Amino acid sequence: MSRRKIAAGNWKMNTTFEDGMELARKISHASIPEDVEVILGIPYVYLKPAIDMLLHVPKVSVAAQNCHSKEKGAYTGEISTHMLSSISCPYVYIGHSERREYFNESSEELADKVDRAFAQKLDIVFCCGESLEIRKSGNQNEYVCRQIEESLFHLTKEQFRKLVIAYEPIWAIGTGETASPGQAQEMHNAIRSSFAAKYGDEVAATIPILYGGSVKSANAEEIFSQADVDGGLVGGASLDAEHFEKIINSFS
Ligand code: PGA
């Protein structure tokens, strides 16, 4: 079964407007294999200009790195999914570990964000992953599957099949330490099996599951070659256009 192949960047709170647009421009000229999709997770304030810049660039789209869980109202400084859809932003990342950890986002709040994103027809990259402590305890599969269950298993089959999942072990994010290809495959397989148990084999087989956590051009090929790994969510290495282009070209 062939699934979508996705190389997703996550700029986090990096780049100036000028540098960000230059990075997007370089990626728009990058060589991208026919069957690979590229998503750039860029800061809110550059979304609209980046969307305009990439309007006629096939296979490259953008994502907001977050959204609010409420429809609208008195939430000073926040960004709603309605705002994102009003600038034709196609994707939103939900549940990144930095949001969970530094902004105390609970599974329940993330479920609300997911619903808000669906209400505005945004495509979702839903992130999950365990801490080092949980990995050491050996309960990582149960923990990650529970994160998914708590925020996503209320969805209908039709909604669920539109998701993209990103498994990102917290201990590998920005640390230079990656999960081994075997560890990534084992988790991705556990996640896919949980999808199959809830939504059936056919749905489970179609959902792209990306790996994130210190993906670099030097390790991308081996990680992406795993049977249940359908691409990467890339932080640091997506800030360098040449480096990210190599990652985009690391699918077999
Ligand atoms: P990293 O970040 O590639 O810098 O480890 C990944 C992420 O947080 O999405």
Side-chain angles (χ1 to χ4, degrees):
M1 154 101 226
S2 82
R3 277 186 290 275
R4 294 165 63 198
K5 297 175 182 172
I6 300 173
N10 183 6
W11 297 0
K12 308 191 180 185
M13 198 172 71
N14 293 300
T15 77
T16 59
F17 176 62
E18 246 191 354
D19 294 347
M21 294 307 282
E22 179 59 12
L23 184 51
R25 195 192 59 76
K26 284 185 178 166
I27 298 299
S28 75
H29 289 102
S31 103
I32 303 173
E34 201 52 53
D35 57 348
V36 174
E37 297 167 47
V38 175
I39 304 170
L40 305 178
I42 70 178
Y44 284 135
V45 285
Y46 318 154
L47 277 173
K48 179 70 170 92
I51 288 164
D52 291 345
M53 178 193 273
L54 298 168
L55 198 60
H56 300 296
V57 179
K59 294 183 295 191
V60 182
S61 52
V62 307
Q65 298 172 16
N66 181 35
C67 62
H68 198 260
S69 59
K70 296 283 196 297
E71 190 183 352
K72 62 177 178 179
Y75 301 97
T76 302
E78 291 297 325
I79 304 288
S80 71
T81 57
H82 189 207
M83 292 171 180
L84 295 176
S85 73
S86 76
I87 58 162
S88 305
C89 178
Y91 280 95
V92 60
Y93 297 164
I94 294 179
H96 190 280
S97 65
E98 287 149 18
R99 300 295 319 172
R100 293 176 189 260
E101 186 176 351
Y102 306 138
F103 301 92
N104 299 318
E105 294 189 359
S106 64
S107 287
E108 197 180 23
E109 183 180 0
L110 297 177
D112 289 341
K113 290 187 182 205
V114 166
D115 290 343
R116 291 263 69 85
F118 269 113
Q120 292 299 329
K121 300 190 165 45
L122 296 173
D123 286 321
I124 297 167
V125 178
F126 183 84
C127 308
C128 54
E130 83 287 357
S131 65
L132 186 58
E133 205 182 353
I134 290 164
R135 168 67 56 169
K136 281 184 174 159
S137 76
N139 294 324
Q140 65 274 5
N141 291 10
E142 296 76 11
Y143 181 87
V144 169
C145 289
R146 189 160 3 97
Q147 284 183 323
I148 288 171
E149 186 182 333
E150 288 174 352
S151 298
L152 299 176
F153 277 10
H154 63 289
L155 296 172
T156 65
K157 204 182 219 186
E158 282 56 49
Q159 290 175 319
F160 198 83
R161 68 190 323 142
K162 295 194 182 115
L163 294 171
V164 175
I165 303 295
Y167 165 61
E168 302 197 294
I170 297 170
W171 46 273
I173 294 178
T175 59
E177 195 172 325
T178 26
S180 68
Q183 283 173 320
Q185 169 56 24
E186 195 207 344
M187 178 62 81
H188 285 222
N189 184 264
I191 292 171
R192 204 177 296 289
S193 301
S194 82
F195 294 170
K198 172 76 180 170
Y199 291 100
D201 290 340
E202 190 264 329
V203 171
T206 58
I207 297 187
I209 307 178
L210 317 182
Y211 168 81
S214 299
V215 173
K216 309 269 182 259
S217 56
N219 58 26
E221 208 173 310
E222 203 184 355
I223 295 172
F224 294 176
S225 70
Q226 301 300 306
D228 285 292
V229 178
D230 307 304
L233 179 52
V234 185
S238 72
L239 293 168
D240 179 294
E242 288 75 35
H243 202 124
F244 192 48
E245 184 173 4
K246 284 189 190 143
I247 294 173
I248 292 168
N249 285 279
S250 295
F251 293 88
S252 45

